[in-house]
């Protein structure tokens, strides 16, 4: 059973050139136990490392070391139990949020076994350290999503930035997914008179936070400096609206933008699709969805630290625990909310997690 589980993981997650070597070793060792047993996980990691000794020159270097580290790292049992039968924010939080004590224990374990925990504050220069130290001490200690939303909104509104006076901002409402009235905020210079390109922007927030206003400054500056039209979509958030709702909202907005290209005076051949964090992940998934549905193709993807992978099992995902910034716990809660408890499964749609 363990061999079958790891075979599926390797086939889904790893480099196609590496997968046959690893799967072959898994099939040859059917008694390695369960995936949650860290000793067996290390055995698998060691076997992956031995691929180099098997004579595959293509696997020498960072590729096999990276994969060996990932499969060999301790796999800590979450103890989630049976899925909650409730619905809405409360059920998601009760069932999936990981307590601070458990994450503190995992942090200690990871530091002891791997020595890679990142003390974020020690890696920042003075200016950035001052910003992080001004954040609430448990901003992303996500055990109450509504409360985190309020704290996040209060933080970004402490000192609202001044927007360029030359940019006109308009909220437009269009028919969206399943009859939802979707808001799209557009930004353009008031003196824009010729046909230009456009940026379709999707805000961040880990799938559970944020709105279009958090991108007002960046979107208006882009519109001002580049002379293009920027359209930012107000997609609905998880856990109240899990996949596919946020992605479908974004798709409806993109279809509207292309449909209204003439009225908006934009060139449909010069539409950029972009987003940050959760928005970057939604943008990547949307590019796939638009292609498969026959929508016009964006000329470029602008993905800023995109949230692409639901599995949360890379070394970097295990190195950041500071609750003042988006960390491992927050990432797990965000993905769990977006995928309604199915994060990390083998049947997750590539539109949802385009890693």
């Amino acid at each position: 059973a363990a061999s079958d589980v790891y075979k599926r993981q390797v086939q889904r997650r790893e480099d196609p050139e590496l997968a046959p070597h690893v799967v072959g070793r898994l099939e040859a060792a059917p008694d390695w136990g369960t995936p949650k047993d860290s000793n067996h996980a290390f055995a698998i990691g060691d076997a992956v490392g031995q691929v180099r000794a098997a004579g595959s020159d293509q696997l020498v270097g960072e590729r096999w070391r990276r994969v060996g580290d990932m499969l060999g790292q301790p796999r800590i049992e979450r103890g989630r139990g049976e899925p909650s039968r409730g619905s809405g924010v409360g059920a998601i939080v009760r069932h999936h949020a990981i307590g601070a004590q458990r994450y503190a224990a995992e942090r200690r374990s990871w530091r002891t076994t791997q020595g890679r925990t990142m003390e974020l504050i020690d890696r920042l220069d003075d200016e950035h350290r001052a910003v992080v130290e001004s954040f609430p001490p448990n901003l992303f200690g996500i055990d109450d999503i509504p409360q985190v939303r309020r704290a996040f909104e209060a933080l970004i509104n402490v000192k609202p930035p001044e927007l360029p006076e030359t940019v006109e901002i308009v909220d437009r409402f269009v028919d969206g997914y399943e009859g939802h009235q979707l808001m799209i905020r557009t930004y353009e210079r008031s003196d824009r008179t010729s046909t230009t390109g456009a940026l379709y922007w999707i805000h961040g927030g880990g799938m559970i936070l944020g709105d279009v206003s958090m991108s007002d400054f960046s979107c208006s500056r882009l519109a001002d400096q580049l002379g293009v039209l920027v359209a930012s979509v107000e997609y609905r958030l998880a856990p109240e609206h899990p996949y596919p709702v946020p992605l479908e909202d974004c798709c409806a907005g993109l279809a509207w933008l292309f449909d209204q290209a003439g009225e908006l005076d934009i060139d449909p051949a010069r539409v950029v699709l972009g987003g940050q964090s959760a928005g970057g992940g939604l943008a990547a998934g949307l590019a796939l969805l638009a292609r498969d549905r026959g929508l016009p193709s964006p000329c470029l993807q602008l993905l800023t630290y995109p949230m692409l992978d639901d599995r949360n099992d890379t070394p970097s995902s295990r190195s950041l625990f500071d609750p003042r910034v988006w960390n491992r716990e927050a990432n797990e809660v965000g993905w769990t909310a977006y995928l309604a408890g199915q994060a990390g499964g083998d049947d997750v749609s590539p539109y949802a997690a385009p890693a």
Side-chain angles (χ1 to χ4, degrees):
S3 177
D4 290 338
V5 168
Y6 278 115
K7 186 195 305 184
R8 288 195 300 272
Q9 292 176 340
V10 169
Q11 288 172 330
R12 178 186 173 208
R13 301 177 186 192
E14 301 311 323
D15 188 293
E17 294 178 16
L18 177 60
H21 299 274
V22 182
V23 171
R25 293 182 181 277
L26 292 172
E27 290 175 333
D31 59 344
W32 275 348
T34 61
K36 65 184 178 181
D37 186 323
S38 62
N39 291 327
H40 297 207
F42 276 117
I44 292 174
D46 292 339
V48 175
Q50 292 169 17
V51 170
R52 183 185 189 188
S56 177
D57 292 337
Q58 293 178 320
L59 303 177
V60 174
E62 285 301 318
R63 186 193 303 171
W64 69 263
R65 281 198 295 271
R66 172 177 54 80
V67 176
D69 287 344
M70 189 201 74
L71 288 179
Q73 66 197 22
R75 295 178 180 270
I76 298 171
E77 174 58 36
R78 300 280 182 216
R80 290 179 176 175
E82 291 297 318
S84 168
R85 299 301 180 187
S87 60
V89 177
I92 290 288
V93 170
R94 284 194 301 272
H95 176 49
H96 297 290
I98 308 300
Q101 291 182 344
R102 187 179 303 172
Y103 263 84
E106 178 175 345
R107 175 178 176 171
R108 289 193 297 272
S109 173
W110 180 243
R111 176 185 290 167
T112 300
T113 58
Q114 301 291 329
R116 296 178 182 170
T117 299
M118 180 190 298
E119 294 296 346
L120 175 66
I121 202 70
D122 296 334
R123 299 170 65 93
L124 300 178
D125 59 32
D126 291 342
E127 290 182 320
H128 288 92
R129 185 181 300 114
V131 172
V132 173
E133 288 177 341
S134 72
F135 292 171
N138 200 38
L139 177 61
F140 288 113
I142 298 186
D143 56 2
D144 184 339
I145 291 177
Q147 174 58 34
V148 172
R149 286 173 177 167
R150 290 189 291 269
F152 184 71
E153 182 178 4
L155 179 65
I156 63 177
N157 288 326
V158 167
K159 187 178 180 181
E162 294 184 5
L163 305 181
E165 295 181 357
T166 55
V167 173
E168 181 179 348
I169 302 176
V170 178
D171 289 345
R172 307 166 189 265
F173 291 86
V174 304
D175 292 333
Y177 180 59
E178 295 183 337
H180 173 66
Q181 282 294 293
L182 182 68
M183 194 268 276
I184 300 176
R185 180 168 292 177
T186 60
Y187 310 76
E188 62 180 322
R189 288 182 60 96
S190 55
D191 59 357
R192 186 175 75 98
T193 57
S194 60
T195 302
T196 68
L199 168 63
Y200 184 73
W201 185 253
I202 307 175
H203 70 79
M207 306 294 184
I208 58 176
L209 307 170
D211 56 29
V212 295
S213 66
M214 66 185 286
S215 298
D216 278 346
F217 180 67
S218 57
C219 287
S220 59
R221 278 178 59 89
L222 286 170
D224 185 42
Q225 295 178 1
L226 302 180
V228 300
L229 180 132
V230 179
S232 181
V233 59
E234 185 79 291
Y235 62 90
R236 287 170 284 180
L237 301 174
E240 297 92 337
H241 303 285
Y243 174 82
V245 174
L247 182 63
E248 291 288 358
D249 282 349
C250 294
C251 188
L254 182 63
W256 171 85
L257 185 67
F258 279 118
D259 288 343
Q260 299 298 311
E263 179 179 336
L264 296 171
D265 202 10
I266 62 172
D267 181 355
R270 291 191 288 153
V271 172
V272 173
L273 174 58
Q276 66 184 46
S277 189
L282 288 166
L286 177 55
L288 299 176
L289 187 64
R291 177 199 64 189
D292 294 344
R293 289 184 177 176
L295 294 176
S297 297
C299 68
L300 172 72
Q301 290 186 62
L302 180 62
L303 310 182
T304 307
Y305 48 90
M307 190 171 169
L308 300 172
D309 196 333
D310 61 303
R311 293 166 300 219
N312 218 28
D313 61 2
T314 60
S316 62
S317 73
R318 294 182 176 275
S319 65
L320 188 59
F321 292 82
D322 194 316
R324 293 170 292 187
V325 297
W326 191 260
N327 54 37
R328 175 173 176 77
E329 177 187 1
N331 203 47
E332 181 161 331
V333 172
W335 275 114
T336 298
Y338 182 50
L339 297 177
Q342 302 304 308
D346 290 335
D347 58 348
V348 172
S349 168
Y351 300 134

